[in-house]
Amino acid sequence: QDNFEVLPGAFSGVRFNAPQVGDAGAQASAFGAAATGVGGQLSDFALQIAKEINETRTEDARNQLSAFADELRHDPEKGLFNQHGLRALQRDSGMALPDEYGKAFRDRFEEISASLGNDEQRRMLQKSFVAMEADLRGAAMAHLSKQFKTYQAETNAATVQNRGNGIAANWRDDAALDENARGLHEAVLKSAVLNGWGEEKTLSELTAAGSRFFGQAVMGALDNNDTARAQALLERFRPAMDAETAARLDKALQGQRDDEAAHDGAQAVINGVKDDGSIDVVIPLGGSTGKGGIFRAESASHHSMNGEKGLNFDSMTTADVQQA
């Protein structure tokens, strides 16, 4: 205590001061603050760990989902890029290709998402899923479009061939010719649209098809010895053919006429043989040169005609003459 004196003269002015004790409340507050700081650090650490766990778990799930997307694209049997032609256009599932593969991808996402540990992980995976799904569907749409175009082109090429065969086979039938000619023209124009041909290319393809199939119709008539029909078909379809094909058919028709003239001349000789063995000689002049259809004959005395050795009918039957 202050001013407490013992033996007053001996210790004049000496004071005994009580020790200074700090504010107990302040010390407790400081300790609490320190403890709170440690707790905050521990809490931050725990949050960081939880965050990294979420990220790692989500990354694993994302890898699984990405691997499945690659499988949907590239599987040798079931991958969408290995679905071609009608198999790509008409699915057993009854769904369009993008919808079918999109559904399979979503089903797998939901399966993986259900296996995650918390909503944060699911939220993070959902974000990745949306981007991957859009990419997969875009690839499926592009592939479907390509397959549809290819299928259309193949089908249209088959239509061109089918209509052309109809023209060649029905050379006798004007109605069938007209129908198949219209179908051929339409099929070639459809190919032009599908392939983006310009006017020059389109006309070239129309001429090529006309030369091929209308030419076959003309030759069909010639092969059946119907020269008149062949000539009529050639004149009818000449505008649809190229000049080279038309010239070749003109030549074939002229050759057919020469053969017919020669045959007629031979028949005239045969018809001229009398019962008594005498003959009325007919010399037909066929061909563009006036020589191709000449048949020479001679009597039993072997007198030559025109100064050249001819046929000796003494040793020939009527059938022999016709064969010759």
Side-chain angles (χ1 to χ4, degrees):
Q1 296 182 18
D2 294 339
N3 303 318
F4 182 78
E5 297 182 356
V6 177
L7 299 179
F11 301 99
S12 177
V14 177
R15 297 173 60 85
F16 291 88
N17 296 319
Q20 299 296 315
V21 178
D23 186 346
Q27 289 181 347
S29 177
F31 180 80
T36 300
V38 172
Q41 291 177 349
L42 291 175
S43 178
D44 290 344
F45 180 73
L47 289 174
Q48 182 63 29
I49 289 295
K51 180 181 178 182
E52 293 182 4
I53 289 174
N54 285 340
E55 291 176 349
T56 303
R57 183 68 183 91
T58 303
E59 185 66 19
D60 178 36
R62 189 182 295 115
N63 289 341
Q64 294 180 48
L65 199 58
S66 179
F68 186 69
D70 288 341
E71 182 180 342
L72 287 176
R73 284 182 173 88
H74 303 294
D75 183 84
E77 294 183 5
K78 298 181 180 180
L80 72 89
F81 291 147
N82 292 312
Q83 309 305 306
H84 302 291
L86 190 59
R87 190 171 61 178
L89 304 177
Q90 186 172 309
R91 305 295 297 166
D92 292 339
S93 65
M95 303 169 68
L97 195 71
D99 293 335
E100 178 181 335
Y101 281 77
K103 180 180 183 303
F105 189 60
R106 177 171 287 276
D107 289 346
R108 180 59 177 150
F109 158 71
E110 291 178 352
E111 178 183 332
I112 295 173
S113 181
S115 71
L116 294 176
N118 56 55
D119 290 341
E120 177 62 16
Q121 294 173 10
R122 296 186 184 93
R123 185 193 65 76
M124 294 168 66
L125 182 62
Q126 170 74 25
K127 185 177 180 180
S128 298
F129 163 74
V130 170
M132 285 191 279
E133 182 190 35
D135 187 53
L136 178 66
R137 280 184 171 272
M141 284 295 296
H143 181 71
L144 181 64
S145 177
K146 179 180 179 181
Q147 292 307 306
F148 179 58
K149 184 176 181 180
T150 300
Y151 182 69
Q152 276 188 311
E154 292 174 349
T155 300
N156 205 58
T159 300
V160 170
Q161 183 65 47
N162 184 56
R163 290 297 190 177
N165 291 342
I167 291 171
N170 293 282
W171 58 269
R172 295 182 180 88
D173 188 341
D174 284 332
L177 279 173
D178 289 342
E179 179 183 355
N180 283 292
R182 283 193 298 271
L184 178 67
H185 188 266
E186 291 172 0
V188 173
L189 291 183
K190 186 177 290 186
S191 291
V193 174
L194 290 173
N195 295 294
W197 296 340
E199 182 179 356
E200 183 177 352
K201 173 66 173 176
T202 302
L203 291 175
S204 175
E205 291 294 327
L206 284 169
T207 301
S211 299
R212 177 184 176 189
F213 296 115
F214 295 139
Q216 289 179 6
V218 173
M219 290 305 300
L222 282 176
D223 290 342
N224 285 272
N225 299 314
D226 193 340
T227 308
R229 180 64 173 168
Q231 184 66 56
L233 290 174
L234 177 56
E235 294 311 314
R236 178 181 177 184
F237 296 121
R238 188 185 294 272
M241 302 179 186
D242 57 51
E244 181 180 352
T245 300
R248 176 173 54 81
L249 292 172
D250 279 329
K251 184 176 181 180
L253 272 165
Q254 186 59 54
Q256 184 87 334
R257 293 190 192 94
D258 289 348
D259 290 343
E260 289 175 356
H263 180 270
D264 291 344
Q267 192 64 49
V269 172
I270 294 168
N271 294 339
V273 178
K274 308 300 183 180
D275 292 339
D276 61 3
S278 63
I279 184 171
D280 293 330
V281 178
V282 178
I283 303 176
L285 298 177
S288 58
T289 62
K291 297 179 180 178
I294 295 179
F295 277 75
R296 293 182 172 81
E298 57 185 17
S299 66
S301 61
H302 303 292
H303 292 299
S304 63
M305 301 172 63
N306 297 335
E308 298 181 17
K309 187 70 173 178
L311 298 176
N312 183 356
F313 290 107
D314 290 348
S315 60
M316 299 176 70
T317 66
T318 300
D320 291 335
V321 174
Q322 186 175 18
Q323 180 64 33

